Amino acid sequence: MRILHLNEDNINGLLSELLKRSPHQYTEYESTVRGIIDDVRQRGDEAVFELTEKFDGIRLDAKSLSVTDEEIEAAYNEVSPKLLSVIKKALVNIRSFHEKQVQQSWFTAREDGVLLGQKVTALENVGVYVLGGKAVYPSSVLMNIVPAKIAGVDHIYMTTPCGKDGRVPASTLVAAKEAGVDKIFKVGGAQAIAALAFGTKTIPKVDKIVGPGNIYVALAKKAVFGHVSIDSIAGPSEILVLADETANPRYVAADLLSQAEHDELASAILITTNEKLAQAVQQEINGFLQVLSRHEIIEKSLEHYGYILIAKDKPQAIHAINAIASEHLEIVTANPYEDMTKIRNAGAIFLGAYSSEPLGDYFAGPNHVLPTNGTARFFSALSVDDFIKKSSIISYSREALAAIHNDIEDFAKCEELTAHANSIHVRFEE
């Protein structure tokens, strides 16, 4: 990892480097993605089958596209009792956290006959995209399905690529079933996003698509936005650790590497005011690289997007953290709760030496689908809110409208919208 003394120039340079990893930068793939989407939109299932054969090496049909009850039952027999127990325990925590996010409709009434309110309604159909291929992430299955289920979504459809043997990983199927999925389809890539966005004979059209994927999935979600809602355009994983002289350098190094192992574009950054800690963390990282199984991926990640930044003081460190707006932020300082109050921009914040990032990935309860590439400045973690919509309720009596009808007519005339003014005026014609 590069060790730099923090200043405004290298903060700006770092932000520029990190933003290069954004899916928005990969415009050379957009025409390919658009072609896939148009093909699925026009030919439906047949395009899905052909594209799946082309990209994943397996020919599906209308019958084999859907995961059967028998396949799910077989998955339960394949998954170890220990893993099933862990999934169930994680579900308890995830449900408990997200249940606290539920919003209710509300109404307020006045004596003059005015009723105002907000009606909260769950989305009807949601599509959940789950990574497949080399990746197996049952934790992401839970994080995407649970808040939708708690929100009250009527139908939750999941798409995930299968292997060349036509099978979906057993842990993925079990996690989906435990979380409450309604139907699972064995399709991935941009063709899966297109199928969910526009519907085919086999795959229903949905109102919203959530879940991270590769660059083709990210660009497909971007392309169909407006036809359906999406959660976000997910980029590579990120971790930023704020640590002082009280931090254990071995813990800090281990946490940085926990995200660097995701892929070569992952970012791992340490910001500290203590140069001795910076050197100790670098030493621990070198030691871990000798024994970790994904050391080649980690090394490339750290080579391009790994930094140890030494700040002159805490305010400068906090300024840099808010500028970077990382997906995951760990605060390992003498007063982590006090430091947390100064943070404006972070997807998830982990406080103290024993709140390492993987705790949030798997078990604590808060959602691990988080804003990346600096979007934590204006986006939030996936939540129950992502699966509801709100309708405003307005009801006025004649008496209430009479008191203010001239004001409304004046406002409408100011905007030269005479039909608007007339809509109010006709109710009080003599």
Side-chain angles (χ1 to χ4, degrees):
M1 295 178 76
R2 282 161 285 185
I3 299 180
L4 302 173
H5 285 270
L6 200 56
N7 59 49
E8 203 62 35
D9 287 341
N10 58 37
I11 290 176
N12 292 333
L14 175 59
L15 290 174
S16 178
E17 284 298 308
L18 293 177
L19 287 174
K20 289 178 181 178
R21 307 169 311 132
S22 168
H24 296 288
Q25 303 298 319
Y26 291 81
T27 54
E28 66 269 28
Y29 298 110
E30 287 183 344
S31 61
T32 300
V33 169
R34 172 54 65 188
I36 293 171
I37 291 170
D38 290 344
D39 192 17
V40 173
R41 190 175 186 180
Q42 291 167 14
R43 297 195 299 125
D45 279 347
E46 195 54 42
V48 169
F49 302 148
E50 289 179 12
L51 290 163
T52 301
E53 184 174 23
K54 177 181 178 180
F55 295 122
D56 297 334
I58 180 169
R59 179 71 185 185
L60 299 172
D61 55 31
K63 184 177 180 181
S64 59
L65 183 61
S66 302
V67 172
T68 65
D69 291 340
E70 290 74 21
E71 287 176 290
I72 294 175
E73 185 178 346
Y76 272 88
N77 293 328
E78 187 177 335
V79 165
S80 70
K82 183 177 181 181
L83 178 57
L84 179 57
S85 174
V86 171
I87 288 172
K88 288 178 180 289
K89 289 177 183 177
L91 269 171
V92 170
N93 295 338
I94 297 166
R95 285 192 182 114
S96 176
F97 181 86
H98 287 84
E99 282 168 354
K100 294 177 175 62
Q101 298 174 339
V102 173
Q103 296 191 47
Q104 305 295 334
S105 299
W106 59 266
F107 301 91
T108 181
R110 298 197 320 231
E111 290 182 358
D112 60 356
V114 172
L115 174 70
L116 299 175
Q118 183 172 270
K119 182 177 181 291
V120 176
T121 308
L123 300 182
E124 188 173 353
N125 301 295
V126 165
V128 173
Y129 186 87
V130 174
L131 283 161
K134 296 178 182 178
V136 181
Y137 294 123
S139 59
S140 283
V141 175
L142 305 182
M143 294 292 183
N144 281 279
I145 294 176
V146 168
K149 198 74 179 175
I150 290 172
V153 172
D154 293 339
H155 305 290
I156 302 171
Y157 304 107
M158 188 177 103
T159 64
T160 186
C162 62
K164 292 183 179 180
D165 58 358
R167 300 181 63 201
V168 174
S171 58
T172 298
L173 295 182
V174 169
K177 182 67 175 177
E178 290 293 319
V181 75
D182 292 297
K183 194 76 176 174
I184 305 171
F185 300 99
K186 302 175 185 176
V187 57
Q191 61 268 30
I193 301 302
L196 290 169
F198 299 107
T200 71
K201 187 175 181 180
T202 307
I203 300 175
K205 172 178 168 50
V206 300
D207 303 311
K208 185 164 189 171
I209 302 171
V210 300
N214 63 17
I215 186 63
Y216 294 99
V217 169
L219 291 176
K221 287 171 70 177
K222 178 182 176 183
V224 301
F225 177 64
H227 298 282
V228 294
S229 179
I230 62 171
D231 52 349
S232 64
I233 310 295
S237 189
E238 308 162 347
I239 186 170
L240 195 160
V241 179
L242 172 65
D244 62 16
E245 67 281 356
T246 67
N248 183 320
R250 188 167 177 82
Y251 294 177
V252 172
D255 293 355
L256 291 167
L257 300 185
S258 73
Q259 293 307 290
E261 77 168 341
H262 270 297
D263 65 60
E264 296 169 8
L265 294 176
S267 168
I269 300 171
L270 166 64
I271 297 181
T272 182
T273 54
N274 188 278
E275 194 155 353
K276 184 178 178 181
L277 176 76
Q279 297 295 339
V281 168
Q282 180 69 78
Q283 211 167 14
E284 292 289 350
I285 286 173
N286 294 337
F288 281 129
L289 286 174
Q290 305 304 311
V291 297
L292 293 173
S293 62
R294 295 169 68 89
H295 63 91
E296 291 181 0
I297 292 173
I298 295 172
E299 285 171 351
K300 290 180 179 177
S301 167
L302 297 182
E303 178 184 351
H304 296 292
Y305 303 108
Y307 294 88
I308 296 176
L309 304 175
I310 301 172
K312 65 181 179 181
D313 53 29
K314 185 69 70 65
Q316 187 189 44
I318 297 293
H319 169 68
I321 289 167
N322 284 323
I324 294 167
S326 186
E327 177 188 18
H328 306 99
L329 170 64
E330 289 187 10
I331 302 179
V332 194
T333 60
N335 298 296
Y337 297 95
E338 179 183 341
D339 293 333
M340 179 266 293
T341 64
K342 301 178 178 68
I343 303 301
R344 296 185 67 92
N345 305 324
I349 303 174
F350 301 77
L351 303 176
Y354 295 96
S355 304
S356 63
E357 189 280 335
L359 175 67
D361 273 351
Y362 297 113
F363 211 77
N367 210 288
H368 78 200
V369 180
L370 301 166
T372 57
N373 284 111
T375 59
R377 293 191 305 275
F378 43 82
F379 280 144
S380 306
L382 190 73
S383 72
V384 171
D385 289 351
D386 286 284
F387 301 99
I388 62 171
K389 54 194 178 73
K390 302 167 186 175
S391 302
S392 299
I393 305 298
I394 303 167
S395 175
Y396 266 58
S397 66
R398 190 180 194 285
E399 175 191 9
L401 185 61
I404 48 90
H405 79 93
N406 287 326
D407 293 336
I408 301 171
E409 291 176 44
D410 289 344
F411 220 147
K413 290 172 184 175
C414 169
E415 296 184 351
E416 299 183 358
L417 297 174
T418 56
H420 280 62
N422 187 58
S423 171
I424 299 294
H425 177 73
V426 295
R427 288 164 166 80
F428 300 96
E429 291 176 322
E430 297 197 7

